[in-house]
Amino acid sequence: MKKSEVPQDKSNLESANFKELCYAVDENGNYTTVNSSGWNPKTIALDNAIAEINERVENAKSKVLNQQTSPIEYYMELHKMDIPILASYVGIWKWRVKRHFKPNVFNKLSEKTLQKYATVFNISIAQLKDITHGN
């Protein structure tokens, strides 16, 4: 893309006074960097991704409040993680993390295991156990 063709569409970057660094070809055919305020297709894709993340967080929260899953699933979604990533952070097998989503299993977890999750999510054990307080 030529330097003069770098998109300067309205986006969240522009409203926050940020610019995205892009590579373009200058008039001599050399690559150079150019600031862009945004590009509509990218803005739409990012907005859709953020909306989907927010929906997943709200669904997980609703499931926790209805005793269908444990708070671990909610915090995993809130922190934009999946089971393999969370399992690697807490040092627990994936199948065990998934099992910890079951409210009856979660309620029997040791303080040590709860602390592992709380540390990863940067919250207290009390916040981990009750998503309605401190979030």
Side-chain angles (χ1 to χ4, degrees):
M1 171 181 319
K2 293 180 183 175
K3 193 174 176 179
S4 61
E5 297 171 346
V6 172
Q8 300 296 333
D9 299 334
K10 294 209 180 290
S11 72
N12 292 337
L13 289 174
E14 185 180 50
S15 62
N17 240 359
F18 287 108
K19 299 283 185 179
E20 180 179 17
L21 189 63
C22 299
Y23 289 96
V25 178
D26 66 15
E27 54 279 349
N28 299 323
N30 299 318
Y31 282 98
T32 186
T33 56
V34 180
N35 287 325
S36 171
S37 62
W39 184 43
N40 275 341
K42 187 175 185 177
T43 300
I44 291 167
L46 287 173
D47 288 347
N48 289 343
I50 290 168
E52 183 177 331
I53 289 167
N54 289 338
E55 185 178 323
R56 289 175 64 150
V57 170
E58 286 306 311
N59 285 342
K61 184 175 186 176
S62 176
K63 285 171 61 178
V64 171
L65 296 175
N66 291 319
Q67 304 286 316
Q68 297 170 322
T69 193
S70 78
I72 294 170
E73 184 175 359
Y74 166 73
Y75 283 108
M76 179 187 77
E77 294 293 351
L78 185 66
H79 289 272
K80 299 166 187 72
M81 296 179 180
D82 60 12
I83 292 172
I85 289 174
L86 179 56
S88 71
Y89 283 7
V90 293
I92 297 173
W93 292 99
K94 291 183 280 190
W95 68 269
R96 287 188 61 211
V97 169
K98 194 169 183 177
R99 189 169 180 269
H100 295 166
F101 285 5
K102 296 178 181 180
N104 61 332
V105 174
F106 175 79
N107 292 333
K108 296 175 187 171
L109 291 177
S110 69
E111 290 290 308
K112 182 179 176 185
T113 302
L114 291 172
Q115 187 58 58
K116 286 181 181 184
Y117 285 112
T119 299
V120 167
F121 298 134
N122 198 28
I123 57 174
S124 68
I125 291 176
Q127 289 171 305
L128 177 63
K129 288 181 175 182
D130 184 0
I131 67 169
T132 62
H133 294 94
N135 296 319

Coordinates of all heavy atoms in Angstrom, one line a residue, residues 80-129:
K80 N -10.5 -13.2 29.4 CA -10.2 -13.5 28.0 C -9.3 -14.8 27.9 O -8.4 -14.8 27.1 CB -9.7 -12.4 27.2 CG -10.7 -11.2 27.2 CD -10.0 -9.9 26.7 CE -10.9 -8.7 26.9 NZ -11.1 -8.3 28.2
M81 N -9.6 -15.8 28.7 CA -8.8 -17.0 28.7 C -9.6 -18.1 28.2 O -10.9 -18.0 28.1 CB -8.3 -17.4 30.1 CG -7.4 -16.4 30.7 SD -6.9 -17.0 32.4 CE -5.9 -15.7 32.9
D82 N -9.0 -19.2 27.9 CA -9.7 -20.5 27.6 C -9.2 -21.5 28.6 O -8.2 -21.2 29.3 CB -9.6 -20.9 26.1 CG -8.2 -21.1 25.7 OD1 -7.3 -21.2 26.5 OD2 -8.0 -21.3 24.4
I83 N -9.7 -22.7 28.5 CA -9.3 -23.8 29.5 C -7.8 -24.1 29.4 O -7.1 -24.1 30.4 CB -10.2 -25.0 29.3 CG1 -11.6 -24.7 29.8 CG2 -9.6 -26.2 30.1 CD1 -12.6 -25.7 29.6
P84 N -7.2 -24.3 28.2 CA -5.8 -24.6 28.1 C -4.9 -23.5 28.7 O -3.9 -23.8 29.4 CB -5.5 -24.8 26.6 CG -6.9 -25.2 26.0 CD -7.9 -24.4 26.8
I85 N -5.3 -22.3 28.5 CA -4.4 -21.2 29.0 C -4.6 -21.1 30.5 O -3.6 -21.0 31.3 CB -4.8 -19.8 28.4 CG1 -4.4 -19.8 26.9 CG2 -4.3 -18.6 29.2 CD1 -4.8 -18.6 26.1
L86 N -5.8 -21.2 31.0 CA -6.0 -21.1 32.5 C -5.3 -22.3 33.1 O -4.7 -22.1 34.2 CB -7.5 -21.2 32.8 CG -7.9 -21.2 34.3 CD1 -7.3 -20.0 35.0 CD2 -9.4 -21.2 34.4
A87 N -5.5 -23.5 32.6 CA -4.8 -24.7 33.1 C -3.3 -24.5 33.2 O -2.7 -24.8 34.2 CB -5.1 -25.9 32.3
S88 N -2.7 -23.9 32.2 CA -1.2 -23.7 32.2 C -0.9 -22.6 33.3 O 0.2 -22.8 34.0 CB -0.7 -23.3 30.9 OG -1.1 -22.0 30.5
Y89 N -1.7 -21.6 33.5 CA -1.4 -20.6 34.5 C -1.5 -21.1 35.9 O -0.7 -20.7 36.8 CB -2.3 -19.4 34.3 CG -2.0 -18.5 33.2 CD1 -1.0 -18.8 32.2 CD2 -2.7 -17.3 33.0 CE1 -0.7 -17.9 31.2 CE2 -2.4 -16.4 31.9 CZ -1.4 -16.8 31.0 OH -1.1 -15.9 30.0
V90 N -2.5 -22.0 36.2 CA -2.7 -22.5 37.5 C -1.9 -23.8 37.8 O -1.8 -24.2 38.9 CB -4.2 -22.7 37.9 CG1 -4.9 -21.4 38.0 CG2 -4.9 -23.7 37.0
G91 N -1.4 -24.4 36.7 CA -0.6 -25.6 36.9 C -1.4 -26.8 37.2 O -1.0 -27.7 38.0
I92 N -2.6 -26.8 36.6 CA -3.6 -27.9 36.9 C -4.0 -28.5 35.5 O -4.1 -27.7 34.5 CB -4.8 -27.4 37.6 CG1 -4.4 -26.9 39.0 CG2 -5.9 -28.5 37.7 CD1 -5.5 -26.3 39.8
W93 N -4.1 -29.8 35.4 CA -4.6 -30.5 34.2 C -5.9 -29.8 33.6 O -6.7 -29.5 34.4 CB -4.8 -32.0 34.4 CG -3.5 -32.7 34.6 CD1 -3.1 -33.1 35.9 CD2 -2.5 -33.2 33.7 NE1 -1.9 -33.8 35.7 CE2 -1.5 -33.8 34.4 CE3 -2.4 -33.0 32.3 CZ2 -0.4 -34.4 33.8 CZ3 -1.3 -33.6 31.7 CH2 -0.3 -34.2 32.4
K94 N -6.0 -29.7 32.3 CA -7.2 -29.2 31.7 C -8.5 -29.8 32.2 O -9.5 -29.2 32.5 CB -7.1 -29.2 30.2 CG -6.1 -28.3 29.6 CD -6.1 -28.4 28.1 CE -5.3 -29.6 27.6 NZ -5.1 -29.6 26.2
W95 N -8.4 -31.2 32.2 CA -9.7 -31.9 32.6 C -10.1 -31.5 34.1 O -11.3 -31.5 34.4 CB -9.5 -33.4 32.4 CG -8.6 -34.1 33.3 CD1 -7.2 -34.3 33.1 CD2 -8.8 -34.7 34.6 NE1 -6.7 -35.0 34.2 CE2 -7.6 -35.2 35.1 CE3 -10.0 -34.7 35.4 CZ2 -7.6 -35.8 36.4 CZ3 -9.9 -35.4 36.6 CH2 -8.7 -35.9 37.1
R96 N -9.1 -31.3 34.9 CA -9.4 -30.9 36.3 C -10.0 -29.5 36.4 O -10.9 -29.2 37.1 CB -8.2 -31.0 37.2 CG -7.8 -32.5 37.5 CD -6.7 -32.7 38.5 NE -7.1 -32.1 39.8 CZ -6.3 -31.6 40.6 NH1 -5.0 -31.5 40.4 NH2 -6.7 -31.1 41.8
V97 N -9.4 -28.6 35.5 CA -9.9 -27.2 35.5 C -11.4 -27.2 35.1 O -12.3 -26.6 35.7 CB -9.1 -26.3 34.6 CG1 -9.8 -25.0 34.3 CG2 -7.7 -26.0 35.1
K98 N -11.7 -28.0 34.0 CA -13.1 -28.1 33.5 C -14.0 -28.7 34.6 O -15.1 -28.3 34.8 CB -13.1 -29.0 32.3 CG -14.4 -28.9 31.5 CD -14.3 -29.6 30.2 CE -15.6 -29.4 29.4 NZ -15.5 -30.0 28.1
R99 N -13.4 -29.7 35.3 CA -14.2 -30.3 36.4 C -14.5 -29.3 37.5 O -15.6 -29.3 38.2 CB -13.4 -31.5 37.0 CG -14.2 -32.3 38.0 CD -13.4 -33.6 38.3 NE -14.1 -34.4 39.3 CZ -14.0 -34.3 40.6 NH1 -13.1 -33.5 41.1 NH2 -14.7 -35.1 41.4
H100 N -13.6 -28.3 37.7 CA -13.8 -27.3 38.8 C -14.9 -26.3 38.4 O -15.3 -25.5 39.2 CB -12.4 -26.5 39.0 CG -11.4 -27.4 39.6 ND1 -10.1 -27.0 39.7 CD2 -11.4 -28.6 40.2 CE1 -9.3 -27.9 40.2 NE2 -10.2 -28.9 40.6
F101 N -15.4 -26.4 37.1 CA -16.5 -25.6 36.7 C -17.8 -26.1 37.4 O -18.8 -25.3 37.4 CB -16.7 -25.6 35.2 CG -15.7 -24.8 34.4 CD1 -14.6 -24.1 35.0 CD2 -15.8 -24.7 33.0 CE1 -13.7 -23.4 34.2 CE2 -15.0 -24.0 32.3 CZ -13.9 -23.3 32.9
K102 N -17.8 -27.3 37.8 CA -19.0 -27.9 38.5 C -19.1 -27.3 39.9 O -18.2 -27.4 40.7 CB -18.9 -29.4 38.6 CG -18.9 -30.1 37.2 CD -18.7 -31.6 37.3 CE -18.7 -32.2 36.0 NZ -18.5 -33.7 36.1
P103 N -20.3 -26.6 40.2 CA -20.4 -26.0 41.5 C -20.2 -26.9 42.7 O -19.5 -26.5 43.6 CB -21.9 -25.5 41.4 CG -22.2 -25.2 40.0 CD -21.4 -26.4 39.3
N104 N -20.7 -28.1 42.6 CA -20.4 -29.0 43.7 C -19.0 -29.4 43.9 O -18.5 -29.6 45.0 CB -21.3 -30.3 43.6 CG -21.0 -31.1 42.4 OD1 -20.6 -30.6 41.4 ND2 -21.3 -32.4 42.5
V105 N -18.2 -29.4 42.8 CA -16.8 -29.7 42.9 C -16.1 -28.4 43.4 O -15.2 -28.5 44.3 CB -16.2 -30.2 41.6 CG1 -14.7 -30.3 41.6 CG2 -16.9 -31.5 41.1
F106 N -16.4 -27.3 42.8 CA -15.8 -26.0 43.2 C -16.0 -25.8 44.7 O -15.0 -25.3 45.4 CB -16.5 -24.9 42.5 CG -16.0 -23.5 42.9 CD1 -14.8 -23.0 42.4 CD2 -16.8 -22.7 43.7 CE1 -14.4 -21.7 42.8 CE2 -16.4 -21.4 44.1 CZ -15.1 -21.0 43.7
N107 N -17.1 -26.1 45.3 CA -17.4 -25.8 46.7 C -16.5 -26.7 47.6 O -16.4 -26.4 48.8 CB -18.9 -26.0 47.0 CG -19.7 -25.0 46.4 OD1 -19.3 -23.9 46.2 ND2 -21.0 -25.3 46.1
K108 N -15.9 -27.7 47.1 CA -15.1 -28.6 47.9 C -13.6 -28.4 47.7 O -12.8 -29.1 48.2 CB -15.4 -30.1 47.6 CG -16.8 -30.5 47.9 CD -17.1 -31.9 47.5 CE -18.6 -32.2 47.7 NZ -19.0 -33.5 47.1
L109 N -13.2 -27.4 46.8 CA -11.8 -27.2 46.6 C -11.1 -26.7 47.8 O -11.6 -25.9 48.6 CB -11.7 -26.1 45.4 CG -12.1 -26.6 44.0 CD1 -12.0 -25.4 43.1 CD2 -11.3 -27.8 43.6
S110 N -9.8 -27.1 47.9 CA -9.0 -26.7 49.0 C -8.6 -25.2 48.9 O -8.7 -24.6 47.8 CB -7.7 -27.5 49.0 OG -6.9 -27.1 47.9
E111 N -8.3 -24.6 50.0 CA -7.8 -23.2 50.0 C -6.6 -23.0 49.1 O -6.5 -22.0 48.4 CB -7.4 -22.7 51.4 CG -8.6 -22.6 52.4 CD -9.5 -21.4 52.0 OE1 -9.0 -20.3 51.9 OE2 -10.7 -21.6 51.9
K112 N -5.7 -24.0 49.1 CA -4.5 -23.9 48.2 C -4.9 -23.8 46.7 O -4.4 -23.0 46.0 CB -3.7 -25.2 48.5 CG -2.4 -25.2 47.7 CD -1.6 -26.4 48.0 CE -0.3 -26.5 47.1 NZ 0.4 -27.7 47.3
T113 N -5.9 -24.7 46.3 CA -6.3 -24.6 44.9 C -7.1 -23.3 44.6 O -6.9 -22.7 43.6 CB -7.2 -25.9 44.6 OG1 -6.5 -27.0 44.9 CG2 -7.7 -25.9 43.2
L114 N -7.9 -22.9 45.5 CA -8.6 -21.6 45.3 C -7.7 -20.5 45.2 O -7.8 -19.6 44.4 CB -9.6 -21.4 46.5 CG -10.8 -22.3 46.6 CD1 -11.6 -22.1 47.9 CD2 -11.7 -22.1 45.4
Q115 N -6.6 -20.5 46.0 CA -5.6 -19.5 46.0 C -4.9 -19.4 44.6 O -4.5 -18.4 44.1 CB -4.6 -19.6 47.1 CG -3.6 -18.4 47.2 CD -4.3 -17.1 47.4 OE1 -5.1 -16.9 48.4 NE2 -4.1 -16.2 46.5
K116 N -4.6 -20.6 44.0 CA -4.0 -20.6 42.7 C -4.9 -19.9 41.7 O -4.4 -19.1 40.9 CB -3.8 -22.1 42.2 CG -2.7 -22.8 42.9 CD -2.6 -24.2 42.3 CE -1.5 -25.0 43.0 NZ -1.4 -26.4 42.3
Y117 N -6.2 -20.1 41.7 CA -7.1 -19.4 40.8 C -7.1 -17.9 41.1 O -7.1 -17.1 40.2 CB -8.5 -20.0 40.9 CG -8.6 -21.4 40.2 CD1 -8.9 -22.5 40.9 CD2 -8.6 -21.5 38.8 CE1 -9.0 -23.7 40.2 CE2 -8.7 -22.7 38.1 CZ -8.9 -23.8 38.8 OH -9.1 -25.0 38.2
A118 N -7.3 -17.6 42.4 CA -7.4 -16.2 42.8 C -6.1 -15.4 42.4 O -6.2 -14.3 41.9 CB -7.6 -16.1 44.3
T119 N -5.0 -16.1 42.5 CA -3.7 -15.4 42.1 C -3.7 -15.1 40.6 O -3.3 -14.0 40.2 CB -2.5 -16.3 42.5 OG1 -2.5 -16.4 43.9 CG2 -1.2 -15.7 42.1
V120 N -4.1 -16.1 39.8 CA -4.1 -15.9 38.4 C -5.1 -14.8 38.0 O -4.8 -14.0 37.1 CB -4.5 -17.3 37.7 CG1 -4.9 -17.0 36.2 CG2 -3.4 -18.3 37.8
F121 N -6.2 -14.7 38.7 CA -7.2 -13.7 38.3 C -7.0 -12.4 39.1 O -7.7 -11.4 38.9 CB -8.6 -14.2 38.7 CG -9.0 -15.4 37.9 CD1 -9.6 -16.5 38.5 CD2 -8.8 -15.5 36.5 CE1 -10.0 -17.6 37.8 CE2 -9.2 -16.6 35.8 CZ -9.8 -17.7 36.4
N122 N -5.9 -12.4 39.9 CA -5.6 -11.2 40.7 C -6.7 -10.7 41.5 O -7.0 -9.5 41.6 CB -5.1 -10.1 39.7 CG -4.3 -9.0 40.4 OD1 -3.7 -9.3 41.4 ND2 -4.3 -7.8 39.9
I123 N -7.3 -11.6 42.2 CA -8.4 -11.3 43.2 C -8.2 -12.1 44.5 O -7.3 -12.9 44.5 CB -9.8 -11.7 42.5 CG1 -9.8 -13.1 42.1 CG2 -10.1 -10.8 41.4 CD1 -11.2 -13.6 41.6
S124 N -9.1 -11.8 45.4 CA -9.0 -12.6 46.7 C -9.9 -13.8 46.5 O -10.7 -14.0 45.6 CB -9.6 -11.7 47.8 OG -11.0 -11.5 47.6
I125 N -9.7 -14.8 47.5 CA -10.5 -16.0 47.5 C -12.0 -15.6 47.7 O -12.8 -16.2 47.1 CB -10.0 -17.0 48.5 CG1 -8.6 -17.5 48.1 CG2 -11.0 -18.1 48.7 CD1 -8.0 -18.5 49.1
A126 N -12.2 -14.6 48.5 CA -13.6 -14.2 48.8 C -14.2 -13.7 47.5 O -15.4 -14.0 47.2 CB -13.6 -13.1 49.8
Q127 N -13.5 -12.9 46.7 CA -14.0 -12.5 45.4 C -14.2 -13.6 44.4 O -15.2 -13.6 43.7 CB -13.1 -11.4 44.8 CG -13.1 -10.1 45.5 CD -12.0 -9.2 44.9 OE1 -10.8 -9.6 44.9 NE2 -12.3 -8.0 44.5
L128 N -13.3 -14.6 44.5 CA -13.5 -15.8 43.6 C -14.7 -16.5 44.0 O -15.4 -17.0 43.1 CB -12.2 -16.7 43.8 CG -12.2 -18.0 43.0 CD1 -12.3 -17.7 41.5 CD2 -11.1 -18.9 43.4
K129 N -15.0 -16.6 45.2 CA -16.2 -17.4 45.7 C -17.5 -16.7 45.4 O -18.6 -17.3 45.3 CB -16.1 -17.8 47.2 CG -15.1 -18.8 47.5 CD -15.1 -19.1 48.9 CE -14.1 -20.2 49.3 NZ -14.1 -20.5 50.7

